[in-house]
Each structure stands twice: as C-alpha cells, then as structure tokens.
Amino acid sequence: MGSLKKLLGFGTTVAGTVAAVKVTEKVKENNPDGIQDVNGDGKVDYKDYAIEVKKAAQETYAAFKEKAPGVMAEAKEKGGELYQDAKKTVKDAFSGK
C-alpha cells in the first residue's frame, strides 16, 4: 500500500503542475498583448491579474471536465495495466534506467 500511496501522491503533484501550466498558457493565449485594465479602475494591478487567472482557470477546468469521461473510461479499461506501467516507469526513473 505504501508504494501506491507514493504513486498517487506523485500523480497528484504532477496533475497540479500540469493544471498550473495549462492555466498560465490560457492566460497568455487570452491576453497576447499582456494583461490590461480589466476591472476598469484606471490601473493594471494584481486585481486585473486575479480576474484573468480566474477566467483562465474556469476555461481550463471546463476543458478538463469535458475530456474526463473519456480518460476515466480508458483508465478503467486498462486499469491494472496502467498501474503496472506507471509503477515500472517511476521505478525506472528513480533507479536511473
């Protein structure tokens, strides 16, 4: 059970990192000229960045939510095989193979 817990923890970390990168990419895609005065207060500050990040996060979440059923179906279909492949990949990565 210990290796499964570590693998799930590693997977959660990777998923969080991927989500952060996707949100960052979406912010850049939505604002090719940089973030402007979104809230109309006459200056570009952290509030404008927060609004844009929130909007990008919502768009990214919607895209993940749309793809999730297909990914879950594939994972259920290949369940044991995927676990063994992931376990071997992690083991190989840490052993330097």
Side-chain angles (χ1 to χ4, degrees), residues 21-86:
V21 168
K22 292 290 185 184
V23 169
T24 302
E25 289 173 352
K26 192 61 149 169
V27 168
K28 289 180 180 179
E29 180 184 311
N30 290 346
N31 301 284
D33 297 328
I35 294 180
Q36 307 298 317
D37 182 21
V38 179
N39 59 2
D41 65 356
K43 58 186 173 185
V44 177
D45 56 4
Y46 73 93
K47 293 175 186 176
D48 299 309
Y49 283 88
I51 291 168
E52 287 299 321
V53 168
K54 179 181 175 185
K55 184 170 76 172
Q58 289 170 336
E59 292 171 10
T60 302
Y61 175 73
F64 280 139
K65 190 174 178 183
E66 185 179 304
K67 292 179 184 178
V71 172
M72 289 301 294
E74 184 178 345
K76 284 181 182 177
E77 183 180 301
K78 296 182 178 179
E81 179 185 328
L82 287 175
Y83 171 74
Q84 294 302 325
D85 289 347

Side-chain angles (χ1 to χ4, degrees), residues 79-94:
E81 179 185 328
L82 287 175
Y83 171 74
Q84 294 302 325
D85 289 347
K87 183 177 172 182
K88 182 180 181 321
T89 301
V90 170
K91 183 179 177 183
D92 290 349
F94 284 104

